Amino acid sequence: MAVTTIKAKTVLQEQVVVEAEVRGHKVRIDEPEHLGGTDTGMNPAELLLSALGACQSIVARTYAEKFDIDLKQFWVELEGELDTDGFLGKSEVRPGFSSIRSVFHIETNAPKEKVQAFKEHIEAHCPVGDTIHHPVDMDSAKVVIED
């Protein structure tokens, strides 16, 4: 078994700006102005959709040769339905996405049946997609009070 532990650190900056860091790489996360932010970066939900599309793209590149797919171009368009009333506590709707849709754009001369099998493999082997699609054991946050 090749279990890997991934560690991330997020630090709240001014207003709702957050700096996320993993392995020395940093990302600025913010909210649009209508949600209290300064719109200087993607918000967490947008980042999640982007992470899903990026993961699917990486899986496509990793397995294209195995499926004998000449991957000339590949991109993913994603959209998700999210009711901000859940986040804002205005109603009892869930705060997360209720649905996510994606479209794979694949420029290749491979036959349709091969591309369909490739698409199914991408969906089945994308770690971010798997994490979204299946429940994950998520421990309650521990609290450390800093002086």
Side-chain angles (χ1 to χ4, degrees):
M1 181 171 7
V3 175
T4 300
T5 300
I6 298 172
K7 296 182 180 187
K9 179 180 179 182
T10 61
V11 179
L12 183 62
Q13 309 287 313
E14 68 280 353
Q15 290 179 271
V16 295
V17 173
V18 175
E19 182 180 87
E21 183 175 358
V22 175
R23 296 184 299 108
H25 302 287
K26 295 181 180 182
V27 174
R28 183 180 179 94
I29 303 163
D30 196 0
E31 289 286 349
E33 290 179 8
H34 73 277
L35 291 174
T38 56
D39 203 22
T40 59
M42 288 185 266
N43 71 26
E46 294 163 339
L47 193 58
L48 178 70
L49 283 182
S50 298
L52 175 58
C55 188
Q56 291 166 332
S57 298
I58 290 168
V59 174
R61 175 69 73 209
T62 301
Y63 286 97
E65 191 175 310
K66 178 182 178 187
F67 280 79
D68 197 25
I69 302 283
D70 178 19
L71 204 59
K72 293 176 175 62
Q73 289 284 326
F74 183 92
W75 69 95
V76 184
E77 292 179 349
L78 301 108
E79 59 184 27
E81 301 299 324
L82 186 134
D83 189 334
T84 57
D85 282 355
F87 161 66
L88 297 171
K90 293 182 178 179
S91 72
E92 295 298 314
V93 298
R94 65 181 290 182
F97 284 107
S98 58
S99 67
I100 296 174
R101 294 170 298 285
S102 58
V103 177
F104 293 176
H105 294 265
I106 303 171
E107 185 181 329
T108 185
N109 55 10
K112 195 173 196 172
E113 303 77 34
K114 211 178 257 194
V115 171
Q116 180 63 28
F118 181 55
K119 172 245 183 220
E120 290 170 7
H121 186 83
I122 293 168
E123 291 178 328
H125 289 84
C126 171
V128 175
D130 178 77
T131 302
I132 293 168
H133 189 71
H134 298 98
V136 174
D137 291 334
M138 193 163 143
D139 294 336
S140 180
K142 295 174 179 70
V143 176
V144 175
I145 300 173
E146 304 286 346
D147 291 328

